[in-house]
Amino acid sequence: MMEEASIDTNDLGEAIVKKLKTIYDPEIPVDIYELGLIYDVMVNTDYEVKILMTLTSPNCPVAESLPREVEEKIKSIEHVKDAEVEITFDPPWSKDLMSEEAKLELGML
């Protein structure tokens, strides 16, 4: 029995992370994934993506545009039916959430 070509949610997750790494915080020359702004990526069986993310501060100048950019870029991934970004400040973002790579890039190591 042939199943409709399905994509592994792990592969989809990797594609999502790759895409997130193309989105930068305008104030810091590091992508939002390495910055630790992405708290969670959930993909359901209908390939709808929900991303829980934060901003470097609640009054971040891109508080409106960044989540929209993330949604649009994730929706552009093949197989993704829908994408929703939820912004949270719990826990608040701190430099501790940054990857080693990001800290290195910003001369913090």
Side-chain angles (χ1 to χ4, degrees):
M1 196 175 132
M2 282 289 289
E3 275 190 39
E4 182 187 328
S6 71
I7 179 167
D8 187 323
T9 46
N10 287 336
D11 292 346
L12 196 54
E14 281 175 30
I16 291 166
V17 167
K18 259 193 205 125
K19 189 63 87 171
L20 291 169
K21 287 184 171 196
T22 67
I23 305 169
Y24 286 79
D25 183 292
E27 299 181 322
I28 309 169
V30 173
D31 69 76
I32 61 173
Y33 189 82
E34 296 294 342
L35 267 180
L37 297 182
I38 305 298
Y39 286 170
D40 203 358
V41 175
M42 294 152 276
V43 182
N44 70 14
T45 48
D46 294 327
Y47 306 125
E48 292 164 342
V49 179
K50 183 166 185 188
I51 294 181
L52 186 63
M53 68 176 287
T54 193
L55 300 167
T56 48
S57 76
N59 22 357
C60 174
V62 290
E64 292 296 308
S65 61
L66 193 62
R68 211 168 20 247
E69 181 186 352
V70 171
E71 276 175 11
E72 281 165 16
K73 288 211 168 152
I74 298 305
K75 281 180 190 168
S76 76
I77 297 172
E78 195 185 359
H79 303 294
V80 170
K81 289 209 174 64
D82 199 17
E84 180 195 340
V85 170
E86 186 181 318
I87 298 287
T88 182
F89 292 103
D90 178 28
W93 180 81
S94 76
K95 292 186 171 82
D96 299 340
L97 296 169
M98 289 166 50
S99 69
E100 295 289 299
E101 198 178 302
K103 288 178 182 165
L104 197 64
E105 211 163 303
L106 296 174
M108 294 166 69
L109 278 182

